[in-house]
Amino acid sequence: MTAGPEEIARAVARLRAGGLVAFPTETVYGLGADALDARAVARVFELKGRPALNPLIVHVADPAMARTVVGTWPARAETLARAFWPGPLTLVLPKADAVPDIVTGAGPTVGVRCPDHHITLSLLHALGKPLVGPSANPSGGLSPTTAEHVRASFSEEQVQVLDGGPCRAGIESTVLDLSSDPPRILRPGVVTAPQISRVLGCTIAGPGAIGSAGLPAPSPGLLGVHYAPRTPAVLLEPADWPAILSTAPRVAFLSHADRPVPPPHRLIRLPAEAGAYAARLYAALREADELGMDLLAIDRPPRGPENPELWDAILDRLTRATRPDAR
Ligand code: TXA
Ligand code: MG
């Protein structure tokens, strides 16, 4: 049952009292607290076990609310907000003094986005204040794409969960640093560099390779293993197929293709189209985890002509969720 007006009203009261509410978005569920209440935000860090230096995204109802949390709102921000909000694009800008340091990991910038989900937009309008919203999972784990996923990690006493059904997009927002020139993608997502470039009429810098030497770490949340299942996971190259079956007694395979997988190994099929694959990915990884196998082997998805940038964003998550040495 998706949340109605009464649950939204209860959520507003909880947030006003410094409590936590998980909210649905088009990407993943967020763990919400009043962004201007440093003690409430501290509870979010505590509950997630999140490193203090990893900044939180601030969710707003509209560009007018965004202006209250940023120090400057450049023309580029207005243009992007008009083109992509509500939607999966987070803009990193100099922060306003009103935003507590704990929100930004003591850094000078803040990430803002307007989520595309009617329940959360109603919540933001009713509260009249911005909400922090990291993904509603213990730090480092899989992002939740259903209300049940959130409830599996947190009790109702800790977090009120607003059920908005399964998330449509399924992977997290694109994070774009607008405080640098040219603007730079810090985390690839559903909104792609060519789309942003077309709207702004300028080039967009990419995130660089994961862990590449010499690059600063502008987005501390992107370090190390992340978005990870509990079971050791590897990314499979096509040539690995024959050998992998004998590396562990029980392997759960996740694949966009129909692979021959003899028992006791298991195959979990993923869609072959990028958007559908992204929407299904985290739920499939959770299902694979619940099988309690020895190893998860994820077939490297094809970077076909159809939406190659979304496949890149998916591969970014898969690379962080897996370890070359896991098997
Ligand atoms: O789709 C999403 O963005 C979801 C939904 C709930 O909105 N939220 C989300 O939040 O994924 P979180 O906290 O799990 O990831 C936020 C990412 C982290 O990698 C963090 O380091 C980066 O955004 N980030 C946030 N503020 C930043 C800033 N001021 N500068 C650089 N990176 C920032
Ligand atoms: Mg997260």
Side-chain angles (χ1 to χ4, degrees):
M1 272 285 283
T2 59
E6 276 169 29
E7 277 163 288
I8 294 176
R10 197 154 60 80
V12 168
R14 188 143 168 169
L15 291 164
R16 290 214 171 112
L20 309 188
V21 172
F23 57 81
T25 81
E26 76 284 30
T27 60
V28 302
Y29 276 72
L31 185 56
D34 177 347
L36 306 181
D37 178 346
R39 281 174 53 190
V41 176
R43 277 185 209 114
V44 171
F45 275 92
E46 200 184 318
L47 198 61
K48 273 185 65 90
R50 182 169 175 115
L53 287 179
N54 191 358
L56 303 181
I57 293 173
V58 173
H59 295 71
V60 295
D62 47 35
M65 194 182 275
R67 285 165 176 268
T68 67
V69 297
V70 298
T72 59
W73 182 251
R76 279 176 176 174
E78 184 66 25
T79 305
L80 291 172
R82 279 173 197 257
F84 296 109
W85 283 5
L89 179 65
T90 297
L91 304 176
V92 172
L93 287 161
K95 86 171 191 73
D97 292 342
V99 178
D101 281 341
I102 185 169
V103 171
T104 64
T109 60
V110 63
V112 278
R113 94 169 184 103
C114 177
D116 189 11
H117 197 293
H118 68 98
I119 289 177
T120 298
L121 288 170
S122 300
L123 178 70
L124 285 163
H125 280 292
L127 183 67
K129 288 173 96 180
L131 288 172
V132 292
S135 51
N137 53 277
S139 190
L142 292 168
S143 297
T145 53
T146 67
E148 289 69 43
H149 293 166
V150 183
R151 292 193 184 111
S153 302
F154 307 115
S155 73
E156 190 67 23
E157 264 145 51
Q158 292 171 313
V159 180
Q160 181 192 338
V161 183
L162 289 175
D163 191 341
C167 301
R168 290 195 309 276
I171 61 170
E172 303 78 1
S173 64
T174 305
V175 178
L176 182 73
D177 187 358
L178 272 186
S179 71
S180 64
D181 196 19
R184 180 164 163 213
I185 289 187
L186 303 179
R187 179 175 70 184
V190 178
V191 176
T192 64
Q195 289 175 324
I196 297 168
S197 179
R198 224 173 294 134
V199 168
L200 287 186
C202 69
T203 58
I204 303 297
I210 295 168
S212 51
L215 271 180
S219 204
L222 299 185
L223 296 174
V225 176
H226 215 88
Y227 311 114
R230 289 184 307 271
T231 314
V234 291
L235 195 57
L236 263 190
E237 305 300 333
D240 295 339
W241 266 98
I244 192 81
L245 292 172
S246 55
T247 45
R250 292 161 67 245
V251 184
F253 291 96
L254 284 93
S255 180
H256 55 279
D258 199 12
R259 301 281 188 182
V261 171
H265 305 305
R266 291 280 295 269
L267 176 69
I268 295 181
R269 274 298 296 275
L270 283 158
E273 185 270 320
Y277 186 109
R280 174 89 180 97
L281 176 62
Y282 289 136
L285 283 168
R286 277 175 196 263
E287 283 165 34
D289 236 358
E290 276 155 23
L291 293 175
M293 309 292 265
D294 306 299
L295 184 68
L296 303 190
I298 307 168
D299 217 355
R300 178 184 284 273
R303 189 184 190 271
E306 164 255 333
N307 211 342
E309 292 84 13
L310 184 55
W311 282 121
D312 286 344
I314 290 166
L315 194 58
D316 167 84
R317 307 305 192 278
L318 293 180
T319 309
R320 294 177 205 286
T322 54
R323 310 179 61 107
D325 59 350
R327 54 177 135 135

